[in-house]
Amino acid sequence: VGSGRLPTAEMSAGSSSEQKEALLEVRTEPSWERKVFRSNVEVDNGGWQYAMSFRRVKESEDRPVTEADAILMKVFTSTITDEWKQQDAQLWERLRGEGGEQVMLSELHDLVFDKCTEVLTGQDCGFDVGWQVSVVDDEVFLKIRLADDENIKHLASKIEMQVPI
């Protein structure tokens, strides 16, 4: 995530938009950490099932991005991008390079991270998410789990997967 703005804890499908916004503030202290190979590492036994890696953009690497809209359309499905365009037409004008204001690489990384957390914690998915910064501070790991039985049943039926009930 480019700007160093990271979610502070966990989000779930039941979180309000205010709770989700509060969770995207800068985290100042981990709840518990220990030393691993001369680095402080947060100990997390949260039952996470999957992680997505997001490279952090260093200030020296930040630059304007051309055709940012095309990049996002490759990352997300047309269903997501079409709805997103309706929700925030001004942003998509900027992403297309209209109006003279360019999108920076760090902002593009933030947009991808934010949209991933929004989709994963949304009504259709219902995942819980958390985060952790890599030991060398060059990546953010978006940790994902599906812990709620109702969400598991909903997703299983949506993709027509048979699971024991």
Side-chain angles (χ1 to χ4, degrees):
V1 178
S3 65
R5 182 179 55 76
L6 301 171
T8 58
E10 300 173 16
M11 289 184 271
S12 65
S15 300
S16 71
S17 60
E18 291 169 351
Q19 288 171 316
K20 289 178 182 179
E21 189 61 35
L23 291 172
L24 291 173
E25 294 175 2
V26 175
R27 184 176 183 174
T28 56
E29 291 183 85
S31 56
W32 191 68
E33 57 183 46
R34 63 182 267 204
K35 215 60 147 163
V36 177
F37 299 114
R38 295 181 292 191
S39 296
N40 288 330
V41 177
E42 182 180 352
V43 175
D44 182 2
N45 297 320
W48 302 104
Q49 298 154 333
Y50 188 75
M52 295 172 68
S53 174
F54 292 84
R55 189 176 71 80
R56 298 182 81 185
V57 178
K58 296 176 185 168
E59 199 171 313
S60 62
E61 299 172 325
D62 209 6
R63 60 177 171 70
V65 177
T66 57
E67 299 182 7
D69 61 326
I71 294 169
L72 290 178
M73 289 170 57
K74 288 179 182 178
V75 173
F76 298 102
T77 65
S78 61
T79 304
I80 292 170
T81 56
D82 290 347
E83 185 178 314
W84 195 359
K85 289 174 189 177
Q86 289 178 350
Q87 291 173 346
D88 198 346
Q90 259 185 325
L91 171 65
W92 281 85
E93 287 173 7
R94 281 190 54 231
L95 292 169
R96 285 190 298 272
E98 299 170 9
E101 188 181 353
Q102 294 184 303
V103 175
M104 299 299 286
L105 183 60
S106 60
E107 182 181 4
L108 184 63
H109 279 233
D110 286 347
L111 288 168
V112 171
F113 185 91
D114 291 347
K115 186 52 78 171
C116 284
T117 59
E118 180 184 319
V119 169
L120 289 167
T121 62
Q123 219 172 24
D124 290 334
C125 291
F127 288 94
D128 295 337
V129 298
W131 68 275
Q132 184 169 338
V133 177
S134 67
V135 174
V136 293
D137 201 35
D138 64 341
E139 293 177 294
V140 175
F141 301 110
L142 178 62
K143 302 180 294 187
I144 305 164
R145 70 175 166 221
L146 188 58
D148 183 274
D149 287 340
E150 288 305 311
N151 288 342
I152 292 169
K153 290 175 190 173
H154 171 74
L155 280 176
S157 69
K158 190 173 183 172
I159 61 172
E160 299 177 359
M161 180 181 194
Q162 293 186 0
V163 294
I165 296 178

